[in-house]
Amino acid sequence: MLHIDNIEKYLRDHEISPSYQRKRIFEYLYNSKKHPSVNDIYSFLIDDIPTLSKTTIYNTLNLFIEKNIVDSIIIDGNELKYQICDSKKHGHFKCKSCNTLYDIQIDFDNLNIDSLKGFDIHEQSFYFVGICEKCKNNNKV
Amino acid sequence: MLHIDNIEKYLRDHEISPSYQRKRIFEYLYNSKKHPSVNDIYSFLIDDIPTLSKTTIYNTLNLFIEKNIVDSIIIDGNELKYQICDSKKHGHFKCKSCNTLYDIQIDFDNLNIDSLKGFDIHEQSFYFVGICEKCKNNNKV
DNA sequence: TTCTCTGCAAACGCTTTGCACGGAT
DNA sequence: ATCCGTGCAAAGCGTTTGCAGAGAA
């Protein structure tokens, strides 16, 4: 797991001038165990920053993506989710019942997929949808 | 690869009354090597069926999905792509250069991912983005 | 007739764009 | 004074919904 002890420095190191909004958005992403959407970020920060607009969140996230410190993922097709880039590649499992998005560690390097021979891979994504163990036990789905 | 020799019967067998539009949309999906979007289907069929509307394509595809004969996939986050359901699970590789979407055969059963133990998996998706061999050779990207 | 299918028009939700104000340097 | 970040308002785009007319049985 990526460890950052100084967000302001981290942003500067990635050529991002650390405005208050940008720091708070990054901080929320960094501390979040989930993979928040723009609305999640907005709902969380609006109490602290009453003037905050979603445009700023979109601007900021797109800047972060451009500077390669944040990734966007899409599971359902409705809204984008964001997460701090992590060198360790992982996939996702989305529980249909509780809507939790779990990180799934996958050893991509050992996949050895024949049909990918000769292709340059820049990005990869792997996800599952189903029912998580917790919901299976609680709700007997 | 799924083989269907009578589309009308295939639709009836899946509780779908085979209207002309539905047959043509299914036929296009079935013959298409790509994974067409609604716009792809519309562009292809509009010459033959000048009254065709995108609403009908959406209606039809959603009906097909409901009846489990078509899957929708999303790679980029902008528009949905559709494909005939195939029992053999596969992933996708999207070439950034030529925008081709390749099917990638993956042995999902042998993945043995520890963190998925105890989870019920209903859907799974696996994709890569990068440069395909053809584009590497042609354009020396 | 009755029921289903089609397709126009409008609505919807997420994201982007245009632009002007305000703060920092 | 200049530059950059912010945020309102509007536009954009893919998809869904409302609804009425056409067509099948």
Side-chain angles (χ1 to χ4, degrees):
Chain A
M1 189 63 186
L2 182 68
H3 178 68
I4 297 168
D5 43 31
N6 186 331
I7 287 177
E8 194 158 327
K9 179 175 185 310
Y10 188 79
L11 293 180
R12 276 195 218 284
D13 288 348
H14 290 83
E15 302 175 306
I16 296 162
S17 51
S19 76
Y20 179 67
Q21 285 87 338
R22 287 170 180 174
K23 283 188 284 181
R24 293 301 305 273
I25 291 168
F26 188 87
E27 179 192 44
Y28 179 64
L29 269 175
Y30 181 68
N31 291 328
S32 176
K33 301 297 175 204
K34 319 175 303 163
H35 305 70
S37 66
V38 165
N39 280 318
D40 293 334
I41 300 170
Y42 182 81
S43 303
F44 181 81
L45 291 177
I46 191 63
D47 290 338
D48 281 10
I49 318 170
T51 61
L52 183 66
S53 90
K54 289 185 186 175
T55 302
T56 298
I57 301 176
Y58 280 109
N59 287 340
T60 300
L61 291 170
N62 287 336
L63 177 66
F64 287 172
I65 288 171
E66 195 185 310
K67 299 297 186 185
N68 289 310
I69 64 170
V70 162
D71 270 336
S72 69
I73 54 173
I74 186 154
I75 302 285
D76 277 336
N78 39 3
E79 60 180 5
L80 288 164
K81 312 279 189 181
Y82 298 87
Q83 62 186 5
I84 303 286
C85 285
D86 193 336
S87 56
K88 206 191 290 173
K89 292 291 177 193
H90 62 268
H92 296 99
F93 177 92
K94 173 169 181 168
C95 176
K96 273 195 235 183
S97 173
C98 61
N99 281 319
T100 304
L101 200 55
Y102 295 85
D103 285 338
I104 303 294
Q105 298 310 325
I106 293 167
D107 195 351
F108 281 91
D109 298 331
N110 286 344
L111 279 178
N112 282 326
I113 298 158
D114 281 348
S115 40
L116 282 171
K117 270 180 193 155
F119 288 15
D120 284 350
I121 298 169
H122 297 173
E123 302 163 42
Q124 51 204 6
S125 162
F126 198 170
Y127 72 82
F128 299 90
V129 181
I131 305 290
C132 73
E133 195 161 19
K134 208 180 292 176
C135 287
K136 267 174 65 184
N137 296 335
N138 290 351
N139 311 330
K140 301 185 172 62
V141 182
Chain B
M1 188 64 186
L2 182 67
H3 178 68
I4 297 168
D5 44 28
N6 186 331
I7 287 177
E8 195 157 326
K9 178 175 186 312
Y10 189 80
L11 294 180
R12 277 195 216 283
D13 288 349
H14 289 83
E15 302 175 305
I16 297 162
S17 52
S19 76
Y20 179 67
Q21 285 87 340
R22 289 171 178 172
K23 283 188 282 181
R24 293 300 307 271
I25 291 168
F26 187 86
E27 178 192 44
Y28 179 65
L29 269 175
Y30 181 68
N31 291 328
S32 175
K33 300 298 176 204
K34 320 176 302 164
H35 305 70
S37 66
V38 165
N39 279 319
D40 293 334
I41 299 170
Y42 182 81
S43 303
F44 181 80
L45 291 177
I46 191 62
D47 290 338
D48 280 11
I49 317 171
T51 61
L52 184 65
S53 91
K54 289 186 188 176
T55 302
T56 297
I57 301 175
Y58 281 110
N59 288 341
T60 301
L61 291 170
N62 287 336
L63 177 67
F64 287 172
I65 289 170
E66 195 185 309
K67 298 298 186 184
N68 289 309
I69 64 171
V70 161
D71 269 337
S72 69
I73 54 173
I74 187 155
I75 302 286
D76 278 336
N78 40 2
E79 60 179 4
L80 288 165
K81 314 278 189 182
Y82 298 86
Q83 62 185 5
I84 303 284
C85 284
D86 193 337
S87 56
K88 206 191 291 172
K89 292 291 178 193
H90 62 267
H92 296 99
F93 176 93
K94 176 173 178 165
C95 177
K96 273 195 235 185
S97 175
C98 61
N99 281 320
T100 304
L101 200 54
Y102 294 86
D103 285 338
I104 302 295
Q105 297 311 324
I106 293 167
D107 194 353
F108 280 91
D109 298 330
N110 286 346
L111 279 176
N112 281 327
I113 298 158
D114 282 347
S115 40
L116 281 173
K117 271 181 194 154
F119 287 17
D120 283 350
I121 298 169
H122 296 172
E123 301 163 41
Q124 51 204 6
S125 162
F126 199 168
Y127 73 83
F128 300 90
V129 181
I131 305 290
C132 72
E133 196 161 19
K134 208 179 291 174
C135 287
K136 268 174 65 183
N137 296 336
N138 289 351
N139 313 329
K140 301 184 172 63
V141 182

